[in-house]
Structures are given as structure tokens and as C-alpha cells.
Amino acid sequence: MDNKEYVLGLDIGGTNMRLGLVDREYNVRNVEVFATKTIYEKGSTPQNMAALIKDYWQRNLKDGRLLMVAAGFPSVVDKARRHLYSSTNLPGLDGVDIVAVLEEKLNIPVMIDHDAYYLLAYDIHNNTLTYPGTFLGFYFGTGMGNAIFINGRPYIGKNGTASEVGHMVYPKRDEVCSCGNKGCIEIYSCGKGLERIAAEYFPDTIIREVFEKHGSSKILDDFVRFMAVPVIAEVNILDPDVVFIGGGLAQMKSFPREKLVTYILENTRKPFPAENLDIRFTKPGPENGIIGAALEAYRKLKENNV
């Protein structure tokens, strides 16, 4: 009989969502992957999400005790960590108090955050870093997820919308970002931008091979330089202990990691933080966001003496 206690970690992306049960030693089990579109194609997205979580829970946890559900979203999250905004890849969630909906349907505590915060929580844990310290995460995928931890706590700002450095503006550009502004650096440094480059310059190359086959091209060199810009800006402001870089782009075959680091260091303030800047590329894994969500959930439970 399983008498362990678990957190159900949920990592929701624009394409797939992953669920897993994580015990107090941060071991994960019963990882399942679903297409994200299954929760918004028909009916109410919040209700469908609650039903999917409940079905997963009932099938995979017969005897153990579930303490909390922790879900990471590719969305802006409000200060109270209840409402979602700018959920461009998750129709039906904008402005919704998703915590209230899920807690009503599941009858168990629920916490949410921007998915990048859970990824950074995992990377800090996986690298056995100790507090105090300032840690930054940059996760380049379809868009760019950014997160900041200061002295063991996520820094979220006045409205909960900190760590949106991907929306710093590159001047005199007319391309409209998903946030509604023009010229956001994310447009030129993430997956959608790479898709446009591949379609225009390398139409006969599948996108996962563009760096392998065309990595020396000027257009891809410029793309990597754009990736460096938000990292440089945040590093110069916060002078961090460690910078983590991850996401699908940084993990592509033949992605020029050394070149990206060079461009970051070339343009970071001298002598410091440039001279001793600690940049680490993350270890890819489908369980990272799930475990990161559980890490933050157990921290919250400990604060509440649970």
C-alpha cells in the first residue's frame, strides 16, 4: 500500500501538457503527456482542465495522499497568483480565476505560476545551489520564458508581471508582438522568429536542422545576437549569481551555445558582472517543470506547516 504524500505537478505548454506525481523527496512518477488542445477544442477550457486533472488523479493515485496541485502556465499571472492573462496559446483562460475553478472542482489546494518560474526552481535545485543569491532563467521556446529568484523567493513585482524582459522593445520596428506592442525582442529571438527565417531563407530545410546546416549564415548569426540582448539587459540590472539558459531553441542540434555566451559576455558591463558571470545551460527533461512546480508547492506547504 502507498501511504506517501504527493504534489501533482502540471507543466502546461502551448503544444503539450505534462502531469506527474512528486513525493517529498522530489521523485516523480506516472508522468503523462496530453496535447494541450484537448482542453480548449470543445467546451469550457477551465472545466476541461479540471476534468483532465481529476481523471489523472483518480487513475494514478489509489492509496497515497494528494496534498496540492501546482500548475505552470505559459501566461502572465497576476500578483495573487490566481488569474491568467495573455494566454494566447490557451483560449478561454484570459482573466479567469483558474485557482477558484480548480479548487471548486477538485476540492484540494491549487497554486499556479508562470511556467518559467517552475523551470528555474528546478534548475536551482538540480544544480544544488544555496541561498542567498540571485538566479535568472531564460527559456527560449516558441516565446521566451523569463524568471527571477532572489534569496530563495520568486521576484514577481508590483502586479505579478515581472520577468517579462522578452518584451523590451527593439526600436523602429513595426512587427506586432502577441502582447500588442511593436518590436518586442521576443519576436526576433524565439521560435516563431526562427520559423519565419527558416521559411524565407531555408525553405528546403526542416526547422530542427537549420543550425546544423546553416549555422554559419549571417541571418542565423543575427538571430543568436538577438537572443543575447534580453540576457545582457537583465544581467546588467541584477548582477546575478547564476544565469540559466534553456528551452527548445537552446537544445536544438548544433545550436551555437559558445557563440551565444560570447555575444552575452561581449556586451555585458565590464569589468563586472562580465568577468565572473556564471552562465549554465539547463539539462533538458520532460519532468523539469513538473518537479519545479512540486518544489514550489512543498515550499508553500512547509510555510503553512503541512
Side-chain angles (χ1 to χ4, degrees), residues 75-102:
S75 311
V76 175
V77 186
D78 74 335
K79 177 81 170 183
R81 279 359 203 191
R82 299 184 67 91
H83 293 80
L84 300 170
Y85 299 98
S86 300
S87 300
T88 54
N89 294 315
L90 290 168
L93 289 182
D94 239 30
V96 172
D97 185 342
I98 191 64
V99 171
V101 174
L102 294 179

Side-chain angles (χ1 to χ4, degrees), residues 207-220:
I207 192 165
R208 66 173 180 269
E209 295 180 353
V210 291
F211 283 109
E212 181 183 7
K213 294 184 176 180
H214 308 287
S216 60
S217 65
K218 183 181 184 303
I219 189 67
L220 288 181

